[in-house]
Amino acid sequence: DIPRIYIVTPTHTRLTQKADLTRLSYTLRLVPNIRWIVVEDADQPSDIVKNLLASSELHYTHLFAKTRPESLKKTAERWRPHRGVDQRNEAIRWIRQNAKQTGVVYFADDDNTYDIRLFEEVVGWHTSLPRNISTDMAGFAVSLQLLDDNAGAQFRATAASGYLEADFIKQLGVTLSDLEPRAEECTKVLVWHTKTEKSSIKNEALILKWYNYTSDPNIEV
Ligand code: UDP
Ligand code: MN
């Protein structure tokens, strides 16, 4: 039996957002027993995400949490702010409050590529580097039980660069021996940290200038 999987996806407005979320939603259609928790980095939900979720045919929860200015501060150990922190914490808050059955939580950023066999593996911990707790956000899952047992655990924007995941996992009281390596002892790659190239629509301005023509701004992209 595959346990219920809560899939947490932070997302932010950009030209390629709908493309990325469409691709992810089609992947998730192939996975049984999930709830997709999509958290917008915004002060209010957007129509793009609202419409996409409504037509996704998935069980979903639509949340929003604007990244706080404190989360964006840079320090010597954090040369680039962590992304998606406040959104993942909002999802964790929702899960602690609303999801009391057994299950696991997996943090799936909106632009990665996921092999659906990954979700058959999500039964505890995932890590790609089992020597220490050194894993990407997409490299592990955590049980609801563990989240409830460690009610204060959350992602901390103050974590050093590269340590957002380890800082969170340590708060769950987990050590190396508690990890359950998956994917044939971590010999199979089931998720890719892909990045969608930033789109440019600068030609729109030129077309307007040269031909006095413009795309219909009411069409959702
Ligand atoms: N994200 C966000 N707000 C931002 C930037 C990113 O909510 O200002 C989300 C983004 O949509 C993604 C996750 O946080 O789901 C990780 O961001 P990104 O993919 O840009 O980071 P990287 O892959 O470079 O770690
Ligand atoms: Mn990414």
Side-chain angles (χ1 to χ4, degrees):
D1 253 23
I2 296 190
R4 166 148 282 218
I5 307 173
Y6 293 85
I7 296 177
V8 171
T9 300
T11 190
H12 69 295
T13 302
R14 61 200 187 278
L15 280 173
T16 59
Q17 180 181 34
K18 191 176 178 184
D20 283 335
L21 287 174
T22 296
R23 184 176 54 222
L24 178 52
S25 77
Y26 290 166
T27 300
L28 296 181
R29 275 197 200 189
L30 300 169
V31 185
N33 204 11
I34 64 155
R35 176 172 285 271
W36 193 19
I37 303 176
V38 177
V39 192
E40 288 196 66
D41 186 350
D43 289 320
Q44 55 187 47
S46 69
D47 283 344
I48 279 212
V49 175
K50 210 185 296 176
N51 294 340
L52 187 135
L53 287 172
S55 60
S56 70
E57 300 181 16
L58 298 167
H59 290 290
Y60 65 84
T61 299
H62 186 183
L63 305 172
F64 58 92
K66 181 92 183 142
T67 297
R68 295 166 306 134
E70 303 96 277
S71 303
L72 295 172
K73 284 187 191 141
K74 294 188 212 169
T75 64
E77 297 88 58
R78 204 161 7 92
W79 52 89
R80 190 186 96 169
H82 297 294
R83 302 167 180 197
V85 166
D86 294 320
Q87 294 73 36
R88 295 188 195 98
N89 286 337
E90 171 64 4
I92 290 173
R93 183 199 63 73
W94 186 92
I95 289 166
R96 285 196 177 112
Q97 205 159 72
N98 296 285
K100 289 303 171 200
Q101 47 174 318
T102 59
V104 294
V105 181
Y106 179 69
F107 298 98
D109 288 351
D110 58 5
D111 57 343
N112 294 338
T113 307
Y114 304 89
D115 186 318
I116 55 166
R117 287 171 293 185
L118 172 70
F119 300 101
E120 296 163 19
E121 300 274 355
V122 179
V123 191
W125 288 98
H126 265 260
T127 179
S128 50
L129 285 176
R131 279 167 308 185
N132 51 35
I133 298 181
S134 170
T135 172
D136 186 75
M137 196 57 72
F140 69 95
V142 54
S143 71
L144 285 186
Q145 188 64 53
L146 206 52
L147 269 191
D148 282 344
D149 291 348
N150 299 274
Q154 59 173 347
F155 289 99
R156 293 194 289 213
T158 51
S161 283
Y163 288 88
L164 183 65
E165 296 88 346
D167 177 70
F168 174 66
I169 291 168
K170 279 187 191 139
Q171 294 172 60
L172 297 170
V174 165
T175 58
L176 183 58
S177 58
D178 298 319
L179 302 182
E180 294 174 22
R182 312 301 305 182
E184 297 181 28
E185 294 288 323
C186 303
T187 60
K188 295 276 176 294
V189 173
L190 298 179
V191 54
W192 293 264
H193 195 166
T194 47
K195 289 174 195 276
T196 304
E197 185 176 3
K198 202 172 173 194
S199 283
S200 162
I201 51 169
K202 62 180 192 306
N203 286 348
E204 286 285 323
L206 290 179
I207 289 168
L208 179 63
K209 197 166 118 193
W210 292 342
Y211 305 110
N212 195 28
Y213 164 87
T214 169
S215 301
D216 183 346
N218 297 315
I219 293 179
E220 190 181 282
V221 181

